């Protein structure tokens, strides 16, 4: 048996990181979750990825200066899966006699359009 020297790795997760949780569609075995995890880790700017088959979700820690939201979505799709996404709509509705008011609607969509990306500012 070969002895390997101790290697110390310093990881720093400062204020410039973002944690994103994706609900994954289509995973049905441990290999599926491992595939999604490996694919996410291959994206430049991804610092950590934890994928749970039981929860159907992936938690990803990224450097927002190096990776965009859409890069993560495309990586998941490239692995053969999709994500649950929510979409928000904002509208103006007349409320007599008070004038106008805002209405907000939220709905789950699969798959979502690029509206979510621009809504998050990514």
């Amino acid at each position: 048996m070969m002895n390997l020297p101790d290697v110390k790795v310093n990881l720093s997760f400062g204020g410039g990181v973002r944690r994103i949780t994706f609900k994954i569609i289509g995973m049905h075995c441990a290999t599926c979750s491992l595939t999604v995890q490996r694919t996410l880790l291959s994206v430049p700017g991804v610092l950590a990825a934890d994928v749970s088959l039981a929860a159907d979700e992936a938690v990803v820690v990224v450097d927002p200066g190096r990776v965009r939201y859409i890069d993560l979505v495309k990586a998941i799709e490239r692995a053969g899966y999709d994500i649950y996404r929510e979409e928000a709509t904002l509208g103006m509705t007349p409320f007599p006699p008070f004038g106008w008011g805002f209405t907000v609607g939220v709905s789950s969509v699969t798959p979502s359009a690029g509206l979510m990306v621009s809504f998050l500012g990514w």
Side-chain angles (χ1 to χ4, degrees):
M1 183 170 147
M2 182 163 82
N3 289 329
L4 298 175
D6 289 336
V7 177
K8 295 188 184 219
V9 177
N10 292 323
L11 294 177
S12 175
F13 297 108
V17 299
R18 183 175 285 175
R19 181 176 179 258
I20 305 166
T21 301
F22 294 102
K23 292 301 264 182
I24 308 293
I25 300 169
M27 293 191 305
H28 59 274
C29 66
T31 302
C32 295
S33 59
L34 186 59
T35 299
V36 172
Q37 183 177 24
R38 286 181 178 166
T39 301
L40 286 168
L41 288 171
S42 73
V43 176
V46 172
L47 304 172
D50 183 37
V51 180
S52 169
L53 175 63
D56 287 329
E57 71 179 20
V59 178
V60 186
V61 178
V62 301
D63 176 351
R66 294 184 57 213
V67 67
R68 298 174 305 154
Y69 178 86
I70 194 68
D71 297 334
L72 301 172
V73 172
K74 286 181 179 179
I76 292 168
E77 290 173 347
R78 212 174 33 250
Y81 303 92
D82 204 350
I83 62 172
Y84 288 103
R85 302 173 203 156
E86 291 186 344
E87 177 178 278
T89 57
L90 181 64
M92 296 287 290
T93 305
F95 289 109
F98 305 108
W100 289 84
F102 287 103
T103 58
V104 178
V106 177
S107 62
S108 293
V109 292
T110 306
S112 74
L115 173 66
M116 185 64 174
V117 174
S118 61
F119 182 74
L120 291 174
W122 279 50

